[in-house]
Amino acid sequence: RNFFDWSINRLSQLYKESQDEEHLALMFQCIESSKSVGVNREFVRRNSIWEGDIPSALILEEKRILQDFNTAYSKYQSAEEGDSLKRIYAESMYSLQKERESFLETLAKDYPVYYRNRYHQEICTLEQIMSSVKKSNKGLLTFYWSDSIVHRLLITPDTLDYHTSETVNIEKELDA
């Protein structure tokens, strides 16, 4: 999730600077991918174990790699610039990413059904959504709550509107 949040926030910045719909389309793809992975993760894992598509030990290994990466990423993010630990965390993330790539290659080769179900989620593109909205003369309002920003995208037959709000501001309003 951290990678998706970083990517979405960066693409949001690029879109705000350029107003290039390609940045918005890529951001939408990242948002939908993040949602798809989050929603389907446990279902795919449980179903795959139940169906005998993958041993539970490999699911635990997959979880360990992801958790270790997220821990290193969080520590990297919270380390001060110039802190010698920042480099150690970056090296740890690099090592874990290499381990993850190797693990995924093994999954793809030895457990193709699980790999396909888990990592190749079908998602709609922004272009497909815009086309569907025009054909149906309806709209779509979607939100994505990242680590520090809520992204809102409104798509109607004649409007494509993107807006962000900092989560801290929304949390203050909810507490009021």
Side-chain angles (χ1 to χ4, degrees):
R1 174 149 166 119
N2 290 329
F3 176 75
F4 280 117
D5 285 355
W6 179 85
S7 299
I8 291 164
N9 290 341
R10 182 67 183 125
L11 286 164
S12 173
Q13 290 171 345
L14 291 171
Y15 174 71
K16 286 179 179 182
E17 292 168 5
S18 69
Q19 293 297 302
D20 182 350
E21 276 193 26
E22 185 63 26
H23 291 129
L24 195 60
L26 288 170
M27 183 179 57
F28 182 80
Q29 185 177 357
C30 286
I31 287 171
E32 292 304 302
S33 294
S34 178
K35 288 178 180 179
S36 178
V37 166
V39 168
N40 291 318
R41 177 181 294 141
E42 277 308 310
F43 173 76
V44 169
R45 285 177 178 162
R46 286 184 186 159
N47 193 50
S48 294
I49 290 170
W50 181 261
E51 297 289 327
D53 294 335
I54 190 169
S56 58
L58 285 176
I59 300 276
L60 293 174
E61 180 65 9
E62 178 184 38
K63 285 181 180 181
R64 183 202 58 80
I65 294 168
L66 289 172
Q67 288 171 344
D68 289 353
F69 183 89
N70 285 334
T71 298
Y73 179 79
S74 294
K75 289 179 179 179
Y76 175 83
Q77 287 290 92
S78 63
E80 299 285 328
E81 281 302 319
D83 187 339
S84 61
L85 291 175
K86 196 158 186 119
R87 181 176 179 182
I88 292 170
Y89 299 141
E91 289 171 357
S92 177
M93 289 179 348
Y94 179 77
S95 174
L96 287 163
Q97 181 60 31
K98 289 294 183 188
E99 182 180 358
R100 181 176 185 265
E101 289 170 9
S102 175
F103 180 80
L104 291 178
E105 286 175 13
T106 300
L107 282 182
K109 185 178 72 150
D110 297 343
Y111 303 96
V113 172
Y114 174 77
Y115 180 82
R116 184 178 56 254
N117 291 339
R118 172 77 168 90
Y119 292 99
H120 290 285
Q121 302 290 327
E122 295 275 337
I123 59 169
C124 292
T125 66
L126 182 59
E127 185 177 313
Q128 290 169 325
I129 296 294
M130 290 170 64
S131 174
S132 177
V133 162
K134 284 181 182 176
K135 285 179 188 171
S136 67
N137 198 30
K138 297 191 179 185
L140 173 74
L141 177 64
T142 186
F143 291 89
Y144 181 79
W145 193 293
S146 73
D147 57 351
S148 60
I149 298 172
V150 175
H151 304 266
R152 187 215 66 197
L153 187 60
L154 173 64
I155 306 166
T156 67
D158 54 350
T159 305
L160 180 58
D161 182 52
Y162 172 69
H163 181 74
T164 60
S165 299
E166 292 185 25
T167 57
V168 69
N169 295 335
I170 293 171
E171 290 165 354
K172 285 179 187 175
E173 288 180 27
L174 292 174
D175 287 340

Short mmCIF file of all heavy atoms in Angstrom, two decimals, residues 95-148:
data_model
loop_
_atom_site.label_atom_id
_atom_site.label_comp_id
_atom_site.label_asym_id
_atom_site.label_seq_id
_atom_site.Cartn_x
_atom_site.Cartn_y
_atom_site.Cartn_z
N SER A 95 16.95 -4.78 -0.94
CA SER A 95 17.15 -6.21 -0.75
C SER A 95 15.81 -6.95 -0.70
O SER A 95 15.64 -8.01 -1.32
CB SER A 95 17.93 -6.46 0.54
OG SER A 95 18.01 -7.82 0.83
N LEU A 96 14.86 -6.39 0.03
CA LEU A 96 13.54 -7.01 0.12
C LEU A 96 12.81 -6.98 -1.22
O LEU A 96 12.09 -7.93 -1.56
CB LEU A 96 12.71 -6.32 1.20
CG LEU A 96 13.13 -6.65 2.63
CD1 LEU A 96 12.57 -5.64 3.61
CD2 LEU A 96 12.72 -8.07 3.00
N GLN A 97 13.00 -5.92 -2.00
CA GLN A 97 12.37 -5.85 -3.32
C GLN A 97 12.94 -6.95 -4.22
O GLN A 97 12.21 -7.60 -4.96
CB GLN A 97 12.55 -4.48 -3.96
CG GLN A 97 11.91 -4.33 -5.31
CD GLN A 97 10.40 -4.54 -5.29
OE1 GLN A 97 9.73 -4.27 -4.31
NE2 GLN A 97 9.87 -5.05 -6.39
N LYS A 98 14.25 -7.15 -4.16
CA LYS A 98 14.87 -8.23 -4.94
C LYS A 98 14.34 -9.59 -4.49
O LYS A 98 14.05 -10.46 -5.32
CB LYS A 98 16.40 -8.18 -4.81
CG LYS A 98 17.02 -7.02 -5.53
CD LYS A 98 16.81 -7.18 -7.01
CE LYS A 98 17.48 -6.09 -7.79
NZ LYS A 98 17.13 -6.15 -9.20
N GLU A 99 14.22 -9.77 -3.17
CA GLU A 99 13.68 -11.02 -2.63
C GLU A 99 12.24 -11.23 -3.12
O GLU A 99 11.86 -12.33 -3.51
CB GLU A 99 13.73 -10.99 -1.10
CG GLU A 99 13.23 -12.25 -0.45
CD GLU A 99 13.28 -12.21 1.08
OE1 GLU A 99 13.73 -11.20 1.66
OE2 GLU A 99 12.84 -13.21 1.68
N ARG A 100 11.46 -10.15 -3.13
CA ARG A 100 10.07 -10.23 -3.58
C ARG A 100 10.00 -10.60 -5.06
O ARG A 100 9.19 -11.44 -5.47
CB ARG A 100 9.36 -8.90 -3.34
CG ARG A 100 7.90 -8.92 -3.75
CD ARG A 100 7.21 -7.60 -3.40
NE ARG A 100 5.80 -7.66 -3.69
CZ ARG A 100 5.24 -7.24 -4.81
NH1 ARG A 100 5.98 -6.69 -5.76
NH2 ARG A 100 3.95 -7.33 -5.00
N GLU A 101 10.85 -9.99 -5.88
CA GLU A 101 10.86 -10.30 -7.31
C GLU A 101 11.19 -11.77 -7.55
O GLU A 101 10.55 -12.43 -8.37
CB GLU A 101 11.85 -9.39 -8.04
CG GLU A 101 11.38 -7.95 -8.13
CD GLU A 101 12.46 -7.00 -8.63
OE1 GLU A 101 13.54 -7.46 -9.07
OE2 GLU A 101 12.22 -5.78 -8.59
N SER A 102 12.17 -12.28 -6.82
CA SER A 102 12.53 -13.69 -6.94
C SER A 102 11.38 -14.59 -6.49
O SER A 102 11.06 -15.60 -7.13
CB SER A 102 13.79 -13.98 -6.11
OG SER A 102 14.09 -15.33 -6.11
N PHE A 103 10.76 -14.21 -5.39
CA PHE A 103 9.62 -14.97 -4.86
C PHE A 103 8.48 -14.99 -5.88
O PHE A 103 7.88 -16.03 -6.12
CB PHE A 103 9.17 -14.34 -3.53
CG PHE A 103 8.00 -15.04 -2.90
CD1 PHE A 103 8.19 -16.20 -2.18
CD2 PHE A 103 6.72 -14.53 -3.02
CE1 PHE A 103 7.11 -16.86 -1.59
CE2 PHE A 103 5.64 -15.16 -2.44
CZ PHE A 103 5.84 -16.33 -1.71
N LEU A 104 8.20 -13.83 -6.49
CA LEU A 104 7.12 -13.76 -7.48
C LEU A 104 7.42 -14.59 -8.72
O LEU A 104 6.51 -15.20 -9.30
CB LEU A 104 6.83 -12.31 -7.85
CG LEU A 104 6.20 -11.45 -6.76
CD1 LEU A 104 6.00 -10.02 -7.25
CD2 LEU A 104 4.89 -12.03 -6.26
N GLU A 105 8.69 -14.62 -9.13
CA GLU A 105 9.06 -15.47 -10.26
C GLU A 105 8.78 -16.94 -9.95
O GLU A 105 8.28 -17.68 -10.79
CB GLU A 105 10.54 -15.28 -10.60
CG GLU A 105 10.84 -13.97 -11.29
CD GLU A 105 12.34 -13.76 -11.50
OE1 GLU A 105 13.14 -14.71 -11.33
OE2 GLU A 105 12.71 -12.61 -11.82
N THR A 106 9.09 -17.33 -8.72
CA THR A 106 8.83 -18.71 -8.29
C THR A 106 7.33 -18.98 -8.28
O THR A 106 6.87 -20.04 -8.74
CB THR A 106 9.42 -18.97 -6.89
OG1 THR A 106 10.83 -18.76 -6.95
CG2 THR A 106 9.13 -20.38 -6.40
N LEU A 107 6.56 -18.04 -7.74
CA LEU A 107 5.10 -18.21 -7.72
C LEU A 107 4.55 -18.35 -9.13
O LEU A 107 3.72 -19.22 -9.39
CB LEU A 107 4.42 -17.01 -7.04
CG LEU A 107 4.41 -16.93 -5.53
CD1 LEU A 107 3.63 -15.70 -5.08
CD2 LEU A 107 3.83 -18.18 -4.90
N ALA A 108 4.99 -17.48 -10.03
CA ALA A 108 4.49 -17.51 -11.41
C ALA A 108 4.80 -18.84 -12.08
O ALA A 108 3.98 -19.37 -12.84
CB ALA A 108 5.09 -16.36 -12.21
N LYS A 109 5.97 -19.38 -11.78
CA LYS A 109 6.39 -20.64 -12.41
C LYS A 109 5.73 -21.85 -11.76
O LYS A 109 5.21 -22.72 -12.44
CB LYS A 109 7.92 -20.76 -12.32
CG LYS A 109 8.48 -21.99 -13.05
CD LYS A 109 9.99 -22.04 -12.96
CE LYS A 109 10.33 -22.38 -11.57
NZ LYS A 109 11.43 -23.07 -11.16
N ASP A 110 5.73 -21.90 -10.42
CA ASP A 110 5.28 -23.09 -9.71
C ASP A 110 3.79 -23.07 -9.32
O ASP A 110 3.21 -24.13 -9.11
CB ASP A 110 6.11 -23.30 -8.44
CG ASP A 110 7.58 -23.57 -8.75
OD1 ASP A 110 7.91 -23.91 -9.92
OD2 ASP A 110 8.42 -23.42 -7.83
N TYR A 111 3.22 -21.89 -9.18
CA TYR A 111 1.82 -21.76 -8.75
C TYR A 111 1.10 -20.73 -9.63
O TYR A 111 0.67 -19.69 -9.16
CB TYR A 111 1.75 -21.35 -7.27
CG TYR A 111 2.48 -22.33 -6.38
CD1 TYR A 111 3.79 -22.09 -5.98
CD2 TYR A 111 1.86 -23.50 -5.97
CE1 TYR A 111 4.48 -23.00 -5.20
CE2 TYR A 111 2.54 -24.42 -5.18
CZ TYR A 111 3.84 -24.16 -4.80
OH TYR A 111 4.52 -25.07 -4.01
N PRO A 112 0.99 -21.03 -10.93
CA PRO A 112 0.47 -20.04 -11.88
C PRO A 112 -0.97 -19.59 -11.60
O PRO A 112 -1.31 -18.44 -11.83
CB PRO A 112 0.59 -20.72 -13.24
CG PRO A 112 0.66 -22.18 -12.93
CD PRO A 112 1.32 -22.29 -11.58
N VAL A 113 -1.80 -20.49 -11.10
CA VAL A 113 -3.20 -20.11 -10.83
C VAL A 113 -3.25 -19.07 -9.71
O VAL A 113 -3.91 -18.03 -9.84
CB VAL A 113 -4.05 -21.35 -10.46
CG1 VAL A 113 -5.44 -20.94 -9.99
CG2 VAL A 113 -4.14 -22.30 -11.64
N TYR A 114 -2.53 -19.33 -8.63
CA TYR A 114 -2.49 -18.37 -7.53
C TYR A 114 -1.89 -17.05 -7.99
O TYR A 114 -2.44 -15.98 -7.73
CB TYR A 114 -1.69 -18.91 -6.35
CG TYR A 114 -1.51 -17.89 -5.25
CD1 TYR A 114 -2.55 -17.59 -4.38
CD2 TYR A 114 -0.32 -17.18 -5.10
CE1 TYR A 114 -2.41 -16.64 -3.39
CE2 TYR A 114 -0.16 -16.22 -4.11
CZ TYR A 114 -1.21 -15.96 -3.26
OH TYR A 114 -1.06 -15.00 -2.29
N TYR A 115 -0.79 -17.12 -8.69
CA TYR A 115 -0.10 -15.92 -9.16
C TYR A 115 -1.04 -15.07 -10.04
O TYR A 115 -1.15 -13.87 -9.85
CB TYR A 115 1.16 -16.28 -9.93
CG TYR A 115 1.91 -15.07 -10.45
CD1 TYR A 115 2.77 -14.36 -9.62
CD2 TYR A 115 1.74 -14.63 -11.76
CE1 TYR A 115 3.45 -13.25 -10.07
CE2 TYR A 115 2.42 -13.52 -12.22
CZ TYR A 115 3.26 -12.83 -11.38
OH TYR A 115 3.92 -11.72 -11.83
N ARG A 116 -1.71 -15.71 -10.96
CA ARG A 116 -2.61 -14.99 -11.86
C ARG A 116 -3.76 -14.35 -11.08
O ARG A 116 -4.09 -13.18 -11.27
CB ARG A 116 -3.15 -15.93 -12.94
CG ARG A 116 -4.01 -15.25 -13.98
CD ARG A 116 -4.50 -16.20 -15.08
NE ARG A 116 -5.22 -17.35 -14.55
CZ ARG A 116 -4.73 -18.59 -14.50
NH1 ARG A 116 -3.53 -18.86 -14.98
NH2 ARG A 116 -5.45 -19.58 -14.01
N ASN A 117 -4.36 -15.11 -10.18
CA ASN A 117 -5.49 -14.59 -9.40
C ASN A 117 -5.07 -13.47 -8.46
O ASN A 117 -5.83 -12.53 -8.22
CB ASN A 117 -6.16 -15.70 -8.59
CG ASN A 117 -6.89 -16.69 -9.47
OD1 ASN A 117 -7.26 -16.40 -10.60
ND2 ASN A 117 -7.10 -17.88 -8.95
N ARG A 118 -3.90 -13.58 -7.91
CA ARG A 118 -3.43 -12.62 -6.90
C ARG A 118 -2.85 -11.35 -7.53
O ARG A 118 -3.07 -10.26 -7.02
CB ARG A 118 -2.36 -13.30 -6.03
CG ARG A 118 -1.64 -12.41 -5.06
CD ARG A 118 -2.50 -12.09 -3.85
NE ARG A 118 -1.70 -11.47 -2.82
CZ ARG A 118 -1.52 -10.15 -2.72
NH1 ARG A 118 -2.07 -9.34 -3.57
NH2 ARG A 118 -0.77 -9.67 -1.76
N TYR A 119 -2.11 -11.47 -8.61
CA TYR A 119 -1.34 -10.34 -9.13
C TYR A 119 -1.80 -9.79 -10.47
O TYR A 119 -1.28 -8.77 -10.92
CB TYR A 119 0.14 -10.71 -9.20
CG TYR A 119 0.72 -10.88 -7.82
CD1 TYR A 119 0.87 -12.15 -7.26
CD2 TYR A 119 1.08 -9.79 -7.06
CE1 TYR A 119 1.39 -12.29 -5.98
CE2 TYR A 119 1.58 -9.93 -5.78
CZ TYR A 119 1.74 -11.18 -5.25
OH TYR A 119 2.23 -11.33 -3.98
N HIS A 120 -2.74 -10.41 -11.10
CA HIS A 120 -3.21 -9.90 -12.40
C HIS A 120 -4.70 -9.60 -12.32
O HIS A 120 -5.51 -10.24 -12.98
CB HIS A 120 -2.89 -10.89 -13.53
CG HIS A 120 -1.44 -10.97 -13.82
ND1 HIS A 120 -0.76 -9.99 -14.49
CD2 HIS A 120 -0.52 -11.90 -13.50
CE1 HIS A 120 0.51 -10.31 -14.58
NE2 HIS A 120 0.69 -11.46 -13.98
N GLN A 121 -5.03 -8.61 -11.52
CA GLN A 121 -6.41 -8.20 -11.36
C GLN A 121 -6.84 -7.37 -12.57
O GLN A 121 -6.09 -6.52 -13.04
CB GLN A 121 -6.56 -7.35 -10.08
CG GLN A 121 -6.12 -8.05 -8.82
CD GLN A 121 -7.04 -9.18 -8.43
OE1 GLN A 121 -8.23 -9.11 -8.65
NE2 GLN A 121 -6.49 -10.23 -7.87
N GLU A 122 -8.05 -7.60 -13.03
CA GLU A 122 -8.61 -6.82 -14.12
C GLU A 122 -9.16 -5.52 -13.53
O GLU A 122 -9.96 -5.56 -12.59
CB GLU A 122 -9.74 -7.60 -14.80
CG GLU A 122 -9.28 -8.86 -15.49
CD GLU A 122 -8.78 -8.63 -16.89
OE1 GLU A 122 -9.16 -7.62 -17.51
OE2 GLU A 122 -8.00 -9.47 -17.36
N ILE A 123 -8.73 -4.40 -14.06
CA ILE A 123 -9.26 -3.12 -13.62
C ILE A 123 -9.66 -2.29 -14.84
O ILE A 123 -9.12 -2.48 -15.93
CB ILE A 123 -8.25 -2.33 -12.75
CG1 ILE A 123 -6.97 -2.07 -13.52
CG2 ILE A 123 -7.98 -3.04 -11.44
CD1 ILE A 123 -6.04 -1.09 -12.84
N CYS A 124 -10.60 -1.41 -14.62
CA CYS A 124 -11.04 -0.51 -15.69
C CYS A 124 -10.08 0.67 -15.80
O CYS A 124 -9.56 1.15 -14.79
CB CYS A 124 -12.44 0.01 -15.40
SG CYS A 124 -13.70 -1.25 -15.48
N THR A 125 -9.90 1.14 -17.00
CA THR A 125 -9.10 2.34 -17.22
C THR A 125 -9.99 3.57 -17.09
O THR A 125 -11.23 3.47 -17.18
CB THR A 125 -8.45 2.34 -18.61
OG1 THR A 125 -9.49 2.42 -19.60
CG2 THR A 125 -7.59 1.09 -18.82
N LEU A 126 -9.37 4.71 -16.92
CA LEU A 126 -10.12 5.96 -16.86
C LEU A 126 -10.87 6.17 -18.18
O LEU A 126 -12.03 6.60 -18.18
CB LEU A 126 -9.18 7.13 -16.57
CG LEU A 126 -9.82 8.50 -16.44
CD1 LEU A 126 -10.86 8.53 -15.33
CD2 LEU A 126 -8.74 9.56 -16.19
N GLU A 127 -10.24 5.84 -19.27
CA GLU A 127 -10.87 5.98 -20.59
C GLU A 127 -12.14 5.12 -20.70
O GLU A 127 -13.17 5.57 -21.20
CB GLU A 127 -9.88 5.59 -21.68
CG GLU A 127 -10.38 5.83 -23.08
CD GLU A 127 -9.32 5.49 -24.12
OE1 GLU A 127 -8.16 5.92 -23.96
OE2 GLU A 127 -9.67 4.79 -25.08
N GLN A 128 -12.08 3.88 -20.19
CA GLN A 128 -13.25 3.00 -20.21
C GLN A 128 -14.38 3.56 -19.35
O GLN A 128 -15.54 3.51 -19.75
CB GLN A 128 -12.87 1.60 -19.73
CG GLN A 128 -11.99 0.83 -20.69
CD GLN A 128 -11.43 -0.43 -20.05
OE1 GLN A 128 -11.12 -0.47 -18.86
NE2 GLN A 128 -11.29 -1.48 -20.86
N ILE A 129 -14.02 4.08 -18.18
CA ILE A 129 -15.02 4.65 -17.28
C ILE A 129 -15.67 5.87 -17.93
O ILE A 129 -16.90 6.02 -17.92
CB ILE A 129 -14.41 5.03 -15.92
CG1 ILE A 129 -13.91 3.79 -15.18
CG2 ILE A 129 -15.39 5.83 -15.07
CD1 ILE A 129 -14.97 2.83 -14.75
N MET A 130 -14.85 6.73 -18.52
CA MET A 130 -15.39 7.94 -19.18
C MET A 130 -16.33 7.56 -20.32
O MET A 130 -17.39 8.17 -20.48
CB MET A 130 -14.24 8.83 -19.66
CG MET A 130 -13.48 9.49 -18.52
SD MET A 130 -11.95 10.33 -19.01
CE MET A 130 -12.58 11.61 -20.07
N SER A 131 -15.98 6.55 -21.08
CA SER A 131 -16.82 6.09 -22.17
C SER A 131 -18.15 5.54 -21.64
O SER A 131 -19.22 5.86 -22.18
CB SER A 131 -16.08 5.02 -22.98
OG SER A 131 -16.91 4.46 -23.96
N SER A 132 -18.08 4.74 -20.59
CA SER A 132 -19.28 4.16 -19.99
C SER A 132 -20.20 5.23 -19.42
O SER A 132 -21.43 5.17 -19.56
CB SER A 132 -18.88 3.17 -18.90
OG SER A 132 -20.00 2.64 -18.27
N VAL A 133 -19.61 6.22 -18.77
CA VAL A 133 -20.38 7.33 -18.19
C VAL A 133 -21.10 8.11 -19.29
O VAL A 133 -22.28 8.47 -19.14
CB VAL A 133 -19.44 8.24 -17.36
CG1 VAL A 133 -20.04 9.60 -17.11
CG2 VAL A 133 -19.06 7.57 -16.05
N LYS A 134 -20.43 8.34 -20.41
CA LYS A 134 -21.07 9.07 -21.52
C LYS A 134 -22.21 8.26 -22.12
O LYS A 134 -23.28 8.80 -22.41
CB LYS A 134 -20.03 9.41 -22.59
CG LYS A 134 -19.14 10.56 -22.18
CD LYS A 134 -18.14 10.90 -23.25
CE LYS A 134 -17.25 12.03 -22.72
NZ LYS A 134 -16.19 12.37 -23.64
N LYS A 135 -21.99 6.95 -22.29
CA LYS A 135 -23.03 6.10 -22.89
C LYS A 135 -24.26 6.01 -21.99
O LYS A 135 -25.39 5.99 -22.47
CB LYS A 135 -22.49 4.69 -23.15
CG LYS A 135 -21.56 4.60 -24.32
CD LYS A 135 -21.05 3.19 -24.50
CE LYS A 135 -19.98 3.15 -25.57
NZ LYS A 135 -19.32 1.83 -25.60
N SER A 136 -24.04 5.92 -20.69
CA SER A 136 -25.16 5.74 -19.75
C SER A 136 -25.76 7.06 -19.27
O SER A 136 -26.80 7.06 -18.61
CB SER A 136 -24.70 4.93 -18.54
OG SER A 136 -23.76 5.69 -17.79
N ASN A 137 -25.09 8.16 -19.60
CA ASN A 137 -25.51 9.49 -19.15
C ASN A 137 -25.65 9.53 -17.62
O ASN A 137 -26.60 10.10 -17.08
CB ASN A 137 -26.82 9.92 -19.83
CG ASN A 137 -27.01 11.42 -19.72
OD1 ASN A 137 -26.04 12.18 -19.68
ND2 ASN A 137 -28.27 11.85 -19.66
N LYS A 138 -24.71 8.90 -16.95
CA LYS A 138 -24.65 8.89 -15.49
C LYS A 138 -23.27 9.35 -15.08
O LYS A 138 -22.44 9.67 -15.91
CB LYS A 138 -24.93 7.49 -14.96
CG LYS A 138 -26.33 7.04 -15.30
CD LYS A 138 -26.72 5.82 -14.59
CE LYS A 138 -28.15 5.53 -15.05
NZ LYS A 138 -28.79 4.51 -14.44
N GLY A 139 -23.03 9.39 -13.79
CA GLY A 139 -21.73 9.83 -13.29
C GLY A 139 -21.12 8.84 -12.33
O GLY A 139 -21.76 7.88 -11.90
N LEU A 140 -19.86 9.09 -12.00
CA LEU A 140 -19.14 8.27 -11.05
C LEU A 140 -18.36 9.20 -10.12
O LEU A 140 -17.68 10.12 -10.60
CB LEU A 140 -18.17 7.32 -11.75
CG LEU A 140 -17.24 6.53 -10.82
CD1 LEU A 140 -18.01 5.44 -10.10
CD2 LEU A 140 -16.08 5.94 -11.59
N LEU A 141 -18.48 8.95 -8.84
CA LEU A 141 -17.71 9.67 -7.85
C LEU A 141 -16.91 8.63 -7.09
O LEU A 141 -17.47 7.69 -6.53
CB LEU A 141 -18.64 10.43 -6.89
CG LEU A 141 -17.98 11.17 -5.74
CD1 LEU A 141 -17.07 12.29 -6.25
CD2 LEU A 141 -19.05 11.74 -4.80
N THR A 142 -15.59 8.78 -7.10
CA THR A 142 -14.74 7.80 -6.42
C THR A 142 -13.75 8.53 -5.53
O THR A 142 -13.31 9.64 -5.83
CB THR A 142 -14.02 6.87 -7.42
OG1 THR A 142 -13.33 5.85 -6.71
CG2 THR A 142 -13.06 7.62 -8.31
N PHE A 143 -13.43 7.87 -4.41
CA PHE A 143 -12.49 8.43 -3.43
C PHE A 143 -11.38 7.43 -3.18
O PHE A 143 -11.57 6.22 -3.30
CB PHE A 143 -13.18 8.68 -2.08
CG PHE A 143 -14.17 9.79 -2.10
CD1 PHE A 143 -15.50 9.55 -2.42
CD2 PHE A 143 -13.79 11.08 -1.78
CE1 PHE A 143 -16.43 10.57 -2.42
CE2 PHE A 143 -14.71 12.11 -1.78
CZ PHE A 143 -16.03 11.85 -2.09
N TYR A 144 -10.23 7.95 -2.80
CA TYR A 144 -9.13 7.11 -2.35
C TYR A 144 -8.45 7.82 -1.18
O TYR A 144 -8.00 8.95 -1.32
CB TYR A 144 -8.12 6.85 -3.47
CG TYR A 144 -6.98 5.96 -3.04
CD1 TYR A 144 -7.15 4.58 -2.97
CD2 TYR A 144 -5.75 6.50 -2.69
CE1 TYR A 144 -6.11 3.76 -2.56
CE2 TYR A 144 -4.71 5.67 -2.27
CZ TYR A 144 -4.89 4.31 -2.22
OH TYR A 144 -3.87 3.50 -1.81
N TRP A 145 -8.39 7.15 -0.04
CA TRP A 145 -7.80 7.71 1.17
C TRP A 145 -6.38 7.17 1.28
O TRP A 145 -6.19 6.01 1.61
CB TRP A 145 -8.64 7.29 2.38
CG TRP A 145 -8.34 8.01 3.66
CD1 TRP A 145 -7.19 7.93 4.38
CD2 TRP A 145 -9.19 8.91 4.37
NE1 TRP A 145 -7.28 8.71 5.51
CE2 TRP A 145 -8.50 9.33 5.52
CE3 TRP A 145 -10.47 9.38 4.15
CZ2 TRP A 145 -9.06 10.20 6.44
CZ3 TRP A 145 -11.02 10.24 5.07
CH2 TRP A 145 -10.31 10.65 6.20
N SER A 146 -5.39 8.00 0.98
CA SER A 146 -3.99 7.56 1.07
C SER A 146 -3.45 7.89 2.46
O SER A 146 -4.21 8.24 3.35
CB SER A 146 -3.14 8.21 -0.03
OG SER A 146 -2.92 9.58 0.24
N ASP A 147 -2.15 7.82 2.61
CA ASP A 147 -1.54 8.05 3.92
C ASP A 147 -1.77 9.46 4.44
O ASP A 147 -1.93 9.67 5.63
CB ASP A 147 -0.05 7.72 3.90
CG ASP A 147 0.72 8.51 2.84
OD1 ASP A 147 0.10 9.20 2.02
OD2 ASP A 147 1.96 8.44 2.86
N SER A 148 -1.85 10.45 3.57
CA SER A 148 -2.01 11.83 4.03
C SER A 148 -2.99 12.65 3.21
O SER A 148 -3.27 13.79 3.55
CB SER A 148 -0.64 12.53 4.02
OG SER A 148 -0.11 12.53 2.70
#
